[in-house]
Amino acid sequence: MSLETSYMGLALRNPLVASASPLSQTLDGVKRLADAGVGAVVLYSLFEEQLRRAALEDARLVDAGAESFAESLTYFPPQVEDDAGPRKYLSLLERSVAAVDVPVIGSINGVTPTGWVDYARAMQDAGAAAIELNIYYLPGDPRISGRDVEQRHVDILSRVKDTVSVPVAVKLSPYFSSTGEMALRLDEAGADALVLFNRFLQPDIDAETVAVVPRVTLSTPAEARLPRTWIALLHGRLRASLAATTGVETSVDVAKYLLAGADVVMTATALLRHGPEHAAVLIDGLSDWMARKGFAAVGDLRGMLAVPPGADEVLYERQGYVGALRDANTGIYEH
Ligand SMILES: Cc1cc2nc3c(=O)[nH]c(=O)nc-3n(C[C@H](O)[C@H](O)[C@H](O)COP(=O)(O)O)c2cc1C
């Protein structure tokens, strides 16, 4: 049986990818993920705020150096060395690439069109097999138009594509008025993969303390339905690879994403909940399921349950929706 998979031109031993999370914040974490058998590792994101802070630090160092003796130009204040920003990130990336035999993908989390390019190049130079652009942009200002939000995504991608030669993936949110058209535009702008979807970490309200609490919640398998629907709708319609992210808890969830048409299936929650070693359980479970169902290779099942090319996507989705409501109205619910 073969689990081998191609993801944006990278040859992976299997389609399970560790998505960006605190698990890849250390070399030991990256090694544990690779040892557990994942096909690739996406490092946690370097945040645009860190890039800006680093730029300010650099400007301060240049000023400081101008007033000092030549040898002081090599001087780095302790807070720069401690900074969990770009230098530390690039060092971890370089060490990870040297330490593991699976592709390591660098990730940048940003909002504005500037700031991505230099660090995408630096990540490529540090050995990243690919770059993932985590465009975490919630247009909170109600005057921002949907077209502007979309153009921002295309601009960021185009700039990075003009700069690096490694493949570039775009991690998207699901909040577009026409997710399919956004996907097509990014595909045309040269995206090598689309990662569907990021989860916005929506703050909660604590009614006892009467305060807003920024809280990270892990996902549940039910949340996989939205990305899975979009993967099923986009499979076979783009040049870019499709990566699924959100709601993987068991190997069945991995299989379902592959059936919908995902090229790779990412997980953060399951590995945070059960430890990096859980990747082996997911991969073994996928193999067992494939053997039970008589699939010899991942390619044999990928996209089997995607919306068929040439089908009327709206009608297809509408039929499922109407059918589901009809069932619900006759009392057939999933509890
Ligand atoms: C604690 C935590 C930290 C995360 N950090 C990042 C990050 O740095 N960059 C990123 O692109 N996604 C990040 N994510 C999102 C995950 O990579 C993933 O896309 C999302 O959690 C959905 O997948 P899951 O259901 O398997 O968790 C983070 C998620 C969690 C729970």
Side-chain angles (χ1 to χ4, degrees):
M1 172 175 315
S2 169
L3 294 184
E4 283 170 16
T5 295
S6 169
Y7 176 50
M8 46 177 170
L10 305 172
L12 308 190
R13 58 187 170 184
N14 67 63
L16 187 76
V17 172
S19 69
S21 87
L23 292 173
S24 55
Q25 269 175 346
T26 62
L27 182 61
D28 182 55
V30 174
K31 281 186 188 161
R32 282 175 70 188
L33 291 164
D35 289 347
V38 295
V41 177
V42 185
L43 281 200
Y44 74 99
S45 296
L46 180 58
F47 280 71
E48 187 175 322
E49 288 75 2
Q50 292 172 313
L51 302 182
R52 277 203 228 110
R53 205 168 52 232
L56 284 175
E57 289 288 357
D58 286 347
R60 206 164 59 74
L61 284 176
V62 170
D63 287 350
E67 292 162 10
S68 322
F69 293 107
E71 59 266 33
S72 69
L73 289 173
T74 56
Y75 167 75
F76 276 83
Q79 63 267 39
V80 173
E81 282 177 325
D82 290 347
D83 181 13
R87 290 174 186 79
K88 188 174 163 197
Y89 191 95
L90 293 172
S91 159
L92 172 68
L93 177 56
E94 208 165 67
R95 286 176 295 129
S96 301
V97 170
V100 301
D101 55 3
V102 294
V104 180
I105 298 171
S107 166
I108 314 180
N109 178 319
V111 177
T112 61
T114 50
W116 302 71
V117 168
D118 291 345
Y119 284 94
R121 190 190 292 114
M123 284 185 190
Q124 171 174 278
D125 293 346
I131 311 285
E132 190 173 285
L133 303 175
N134 176 18
I135 308 181
Y136 193 97
Y137 179 58
L138 186 78
D141 179 344
R143 287 160 301 195
I144 298 172
S145 76
R147 213 56 185 163
D148 284 351
V149 174
E150 291 159 12
Q151 192 58 43
R152 183 184 286 249
H153 284 68
V154 174
D155 288 347
I156 291 169
L157 170 67
S158 303
R159 284 177 197 219
V160 173
K161 279 296 290 182
D162 285 346
T163 308
V164 297
S165 54
V166 292
V168 180
V170 182
K171 190 169 184 178
L172 286 178
S173 89
Y175 307 118
F176 293 96
S177 55
S178 180
T179 302
E181 199 237 7
M182 183 75 256
L184 284 181
R185 285 186 72 193
L186 290 167
D187 192 45
E188 279 159 16
D192 297 284
L194 299 181
V195 184
L196 310 181
F197 290 114
N198 203 350
R199 289 170 82 226
F200 282 141
L201 303 177
Q202 294 136 340
D204 202 355
I205 285 181
D206 186 324
E208 254 345 282
T209 57
V210 191
V212 175
V213 276
R215 191 173 282 157
V216 177
T217 46
L218 297 178
S219 67
T220 61
E223 290 175 66
R225 290 185 178 202
L226 180 65
R228 205 163 58 227
T229 301
W230 276 108
I231 283 168
L233 282 163
L234 291 171
H235 175 79
R237 290 162 177 80
L238 304 178
R239 193 193 45 81
S241 298
L242 289 171
T245 175
T246 298
V248 168
E249 176 64 18
T250 68
S251 54
V252 173
D253 301 316
V254 179
K256 283 158 74 168
Y257 266 132
L258 294 171
L259 287 167
D263 292 288
V264 294
V265 181
M266 298 187 168
T267 173
T269 280
L271 304 181
L272 286 166
R273 211 173 255 147
H274 308 291
E277 290 67 31
H278 190 66
V281 176
L282 297 176
I283 297 161
D284 291 348
L286 177 65
S287 292
D288 291 348
W289 173 82
M290 284 172 60
R292 201 154 49 78
K293 295 288 167 193
F295 294 116
V298 176
D300 296 345
L301 66 105
R302 178 176 290 114
M304 238 177 122
L305 300 181
V307 178
D312 180 332
E313 293 92 349
V314 176
L315 190 68
Y316 197 89
E317 184 50 26
R318 184 90 199 141
Q319 279 167 347
Y321 176 71
V322 173
L325 281 187
R326 201 180 298 124
D327 286 353
N329 287 337
T330 50
I332 308 169
Y333 317 114
E334 196 182 308
H335 292 279

